[in-house]
Amino acid sequence: MALARVSTPPRRCDVVVVGAGLSGLEAAAELLRAGVQDIVVLEAGPATRTDEPRPTAKNGETRPAQRNDEAGPAARNSEAAPTAQNNEPKPIARNGEAGPAAGSGGAGPDLAADWNRPGRDPALWRPWSSDRLPHYGGDYGIRRKVGGRSLYWRGIVLPIEDWALGDPVWPAAVRRDLGQGWRGGAGLYQRVLRDLGDWSGRALEAPRSPNEQALLDLLTGAAALRVRPVPVARRYWAEGSRVCWEPYGPLGRWMDAGGRIGGEATPLVVPDCTVVEIGVAAARVTGVGFRRAGTRERHWIDCGFVVLAAAAVENARLVAQVGPGGRSFPGLNDHLRQGFLVRTAAGGRPAPAGLAFLPATARQRSNVFVEARPADAAGFAVWDVWGIGEQERSDFGRVSFEATTGVPWSSRITAGLSPRDEVTVEAQRRQLRQVWTGLRPLLSLGPEPPRFGGFLAGTPTYPQAYEQVLNAEPGRPIAYCAPLGSVDHEGGLTPLGDVLHESGEVAGISGLFVVGPGTFPRSGAANPSLTTFALARRTARTIAGET
Ligand SMILES: Cc1cc2nc3c(=O)[nH]c(=O)nc-3n(C[C@H](O)[C@H](O)[C@H](O)COP(=O)(O)OP(=O)(O)OC[C@H]3O[C@@H](n4cnc5c(N)ncnc54)[C@H](O)[C@@H]3O)c2cc1C
C-alpha cells in the first residue's frame, strides 16, 4: 500500500474514511492495526506534505501572525525552544511549515512567517459562512491538505478534566474506556499517552530546556503560582545547527524526516477528492459520493462503513444530508480564549523562556498558560498569558444547513456566548489578573492590570495586540480576545450519546461513524486532540469488530 500516491480510488472497499486530518488518519491507523486492510481515505485537499516545496519564512517583517489556538501557529517555531537563549537556534516544525527562525528582529522573530498566517495559507478552507464575523470567519478555517491540521497543531495533550468528563452527558461507557480501562487493559488516555511518549522518545511533561525549568521555578517560587509543565507530544532533532521539532501525527509516524514512506503499514489515501454525500439505503450505509478537484463529475465508492473525519462542521453537514437530526445542529463550541501580552526588560540576567500552565478547577473552567519568549537582541522579552476556557454546548452556537436540490448543502454558522459562557469569561479574567499580580514584582510590571473590553467585540485580537505591545512601554499589558472559531477547537455538533450512539455510530444509520472534537458531549478546558486520538481508536476498534 502507498500513502497519498493513488490517483484513482477503487470502486469498492470495506471502509471509507472521509478526511485525512488528525482524527481520520488516527482512525485509519487503528483500523490497520486491528487488521482491517481494505480502507480508502478520501481527502479534499492535495498531498502536499511530500510533494510541495517547503514554504519559507520571510525575514525582516514585524507583523505578527494571525494567531490561532493556545499560542497559535505564530509561536509554533519559536515557543519553548529546547535551547531558549535568544541567539540560539529555534525549533522548526518538521516539513518546514513554520519555517526556520524568521529573524524579524522583534521580540517574536518567527511571528513574521507567511506560513504562520492562516489567511495566506493556500490550504485555508472554510466550507461554511458565518452570521457573526469575525467569529468563524476572517483568517480562520480548516486546512485542506493530506494531514489536515495534524500538520499545524502544537502537540499539547491534556485529558478532559474529571469535572467535565464526570458530567453524565458523557456516556458512562465512554468515560470508563477513556479513564479507567479499555478492552481489558489500561484506559485509552493512558495508552495514547504511552504511545505518544514512545514515539517522541521523551517524557511528555518533562521541561524541554533548562530555561523552561527556570521559568517553572520562577513561577512556582517567587510568583507563588501553581503552574505545571505543559505536556506536549513532539519529537525534537537537530538539523545542522538548528533544533527542529514536529508534533505527533499519523503522517509523521509513517514517514521519516526525508519524507519517505516508513516501515509501518500505511492506508490508501486519495487526495483531491471532496466527499459530497453519503449513500444510505434501508438505514444502512452503502457508499460515498465524491468529486475530484476542479471537476463537477460525481464518482462513487461502495462500502459497508464510513468514518466521517472531515472536521466538526463538515461532518455535521454530511450527517444532516442523510440523518434524522434535521437541518440545524445546536451545540457548536470552540474554546474561550483571551489573554494579555506584555514586554519586559530582561534586566541583565538570562530571561527564563518556555511554557507552563495553571490547571483549571471546576469553578474556573479555564486553563491558564504562561509563555515567556526569549529576549531579543535589545534585551526585551514578550510574555504572553492566556486562558483557554470551556465553552458549553448551547443554542448560542449552531450550524444551519440549507437544503438544495443538489449536494453539498450550504452551511451557515451562528455564534454567540451563553450566559454560562459569560461567567467563564469573567472567571478567566480574574485568573488572568491573578497571574498578572504574581508576575508584577518579578518583571517590574506597571501598576495597571490588563484592561479587557467586550469578549465578542471591543478588545483587540491577538495580532492587533501584538502590534501594540511592540510599541508599548515595557510593563504595560495589552489585552486580547480570540474570535470564536479561531482557537481551532470547534466541536460539539454530533455528540456521543445523542446524535451518535456511544460507539460513535450515527443514531439510525448503521455503518456511519463520526470522529473528532465534534463528538464530544462536553469539552472541558483541555485542548481536544488527546481525546480525539483516544476516541478515534475506540471507534476504529468498534468498526473492526463488525467487519
Ligand atoms: C495552529 C494550530 C495549533 C493547534 N494546537 C493544538 C494543540 O496543541 N493541542 C490540541 O489538542 N489541539 C490543537 N489544535 C487543534 C487540532 O489541530 C484540531 O482539533 C484537530 O486537527 C481536529 O481534527 P479533525 O480530524 O477533526 O480535523 P482536521 O485535522 O482539520 O482534518 C479534517 C480533514 O478533512 C478534510 N475534509 C474536510 N471536508 C472534506 C470532504 N467533504 N471530503 C474530504 N475531505 C474533507 C480536510 O481537508 C482536512 O484534511 C491546533 C490547531 C491549529 C490550527
Side-chain angles (χ1 to χ4, degrees):
M1 289 216 190
L3 184 69
R5 282 287 184 275
V6 173
S7 53
T8 312
R11 293 269 167 93
R12 71 149 290 115
C13 66
D14 286 343
V15 185
V16 169
V17 177
V18 180
L22 192 133
S23 63
L25 292 179
E26 187 69 18
E30 188 68 13
L31 282 164
L32 285 165
R33 264 178 240 134
V36 181
Q37 294 290 325
D38 196 11
I39 309 165
V40 174
V41 184
L42 294 178
E43 165 56 44
T48 56
R49 188 180 170 97
T50 52
D51 304 337
E52 224 180 37
R54 294 177 175 202
T56 48
K58 280 219 170 91
N59 286 352
E61 290 186 33
T62 50
R63 213 192 118 202
Q66 292 291 329
R67 181 166 169 160
N68 294 21
D69 203 66
E70 303 76 18
R76 180 172 176 157
N77 56 352
S78 63
E79 163 279 319
T83 50
Q85 296 296 341
N86 182 42
N87 55 356
E88 284 177 335
K90 312 286 191 299
I92 61 167
R94 178 178 186 163
N95 208 25
E97 289 96 349
S104 68
D110 305 309
L111 300 184
D114 263 7
W115 185 257
N116 288 326
R117 300 182 193 173
R120 294 191 185 187
D121 183 352
L124 184 76
W125 185 39
R126 211 166 32 242
W128 61 76
S129 59
S130 167
D131 269 352
R132 194 155 190 187
L133 294 171
H135 306 283
Y136 291 94
D139 274 350
Y140 305 107
I142 63 174
R143 312 298 177 95
R144 182 167 46 178
K145 63 192 333 190
V146 172
R149 282 173 287 179
S150 76
L151 302 179
Y152 296 75
W153 75 302
R154 293 188 77 197
I156 296 176
V157 277
L158 294 169
I160 292 180
E161 304 77 11
D162 289 344
W163 49 262
L165 204 57
D167 188 320
V169 291
W170 275 97
V174 180
R175 219 161 44 217
R176 184 201 57 222
D177 291 352
L178 284 171
Q180 289 155 28
W182 182 60
R183 298 166 60 85
L188 277 158
Y189 276 149
Q190 201 183 326
R191 289 175 194 230
V192 176
L193 287 170
R194 192 183 53 214
D195 288 354
L196 298 182
D198 289 349
W199 172 85
S200 63
R202 56 185 288 280
L204 303 179
E205 276 207 45
R208 284 157 291 162
S209 67
N211 274 357
E212 191 158 85
Q213 184 61 60
L215 176 72
L216 287 157
D217 293 344
L218 188 74
L219 294 174
T220 48
L225 296 167
R226 299 178 154 207
V227 292
R228 293 196 353 218
V230 178
V232 288
R234 292 182 187 173
R235 197 150 60 178
Y236 293 91
W237 73 97
E239 256 179 35
S241 62
R242 294 184 310 184
V243 178
C244 311
W245 62 269
E246 66 169 339
Y248 165 82
L251 282 186
R253 267 184 110 122
W254 289 321
M255 296 179 175
D256 65 17
R260 293 192 303 277
I261 292 166
E264 193 176 320
T266 58
L268 190 64
V269 179
V270 192
D272 301 314
C273 295
T274 303
V275 171
V276 291
E277 67 178 315
I278 308 300
V280 175
R284 163 117 230 137
V285 153
T286 56
V288 300
F290 65 95
R291 290 201 183 116
R292 307 304 307 254
T295 71
R296 303 287 305 160
E297 202 184 331
R298 184 89 51 85
H299 302 268
W300 193 261
I301 300 185
D302 292 325
C303 63
F305 295 90
V306 172
V307 182
L308 297 179
V313 179
E314 271 289 272
N315 289 342
R317 182 181 64 76
L318 289 165
V319 171
Q321 286 179 182
V322 290
R327 292 177 184 166
S328 186
F329 282 41
L332 177 67
N333 58 271
D334 194 9
H335 272 120
L336 304 169
R337 175 172 177 218
Q338 56 191 336
F340 63 87
L341 290 163
V342 64
R343 202 159 69 102
T344 65
R349 61 189 156 83
L355 181 64
F357 87 116
L358 281 154
T361 64
R363 220 156 55 84
Q364 298 162 331
R365 303 204 295 148
S366 293
N367 290 319
V368 173
F369 293 80
V370 181
E371 181 173 41
R373 308 259 174 81
D376 66 11
F380 289 103
V382 170
W383 286 61
D384 188 357
V385 181
W386 70 95
I388 293 273
E390 179 178 52
Q391 189 184 18
E392 69 169 4
R393 295 190 65 250
S394 77
D395 268 349
F396 289 82
R398 67 168 46 241
V399 184
S400 306
F401 305 99
E402 193 191 335
T404 44
T405 42
V407 285
W409 293 357
S410 64
S411 314
R412 188 160 192 83
I413 289 180
T414 305
L417 298 184
S418 70
R420 205 161 132 87
D421 295 339
E422 306 268 13
V423 171
T424 306
V425 164
E426 282 312 312
Q428 199 178 79
R429 290 181 177 184
R430 282 195 295 278
Q431 289 174 270
L432 291 166
R433 279 193 286 267
Q434 245 168 31
V435 175
W436 163 262
T437 305
L439 291 179
R440 232 191 109 195
L442 293 179
L443 303 177
S444 311
L445 305 182
E448 285 294 314
R451 285 181 184 283
F452 290 90
F455 182 85
L456 294 176
T459 303
T461 59
Y462 177 86
Q464 292 163 343
Y466 195 84
E467 204 76 69
Q468 288 179 29
V469 83
L470 292 184
N471 297 313
E473 65 271 24
R476 187 163 86 79
I478 310 289
Y480 65 88
C481 292
L484 293 172
S486 71
V487 186
D488 275 286
H489 294 175
E490 79 284 357
L493 290 169
T494 51
L496 293 160
D498 181 343
V499 176
L500 309 180
H501 294 307
E502 61 177 45
S503 63
E505 191 170 37
V506 175
I509 305 180
S510 313
L512 182 59
F513 291 80
V514 187
V515 290
T519 68
F520 302 177
R522 191 175 162 181
S523 72
N527 312 49
S529 299
L530 175 61
T531 308
T532 297
F533 290 135
L535 295 180
R537 291 186 184 193
R538 184 177 185 273
T539 295
R541 289 286 168 169
T542 303
I543 295 169
E546 292 181 22
T547 51

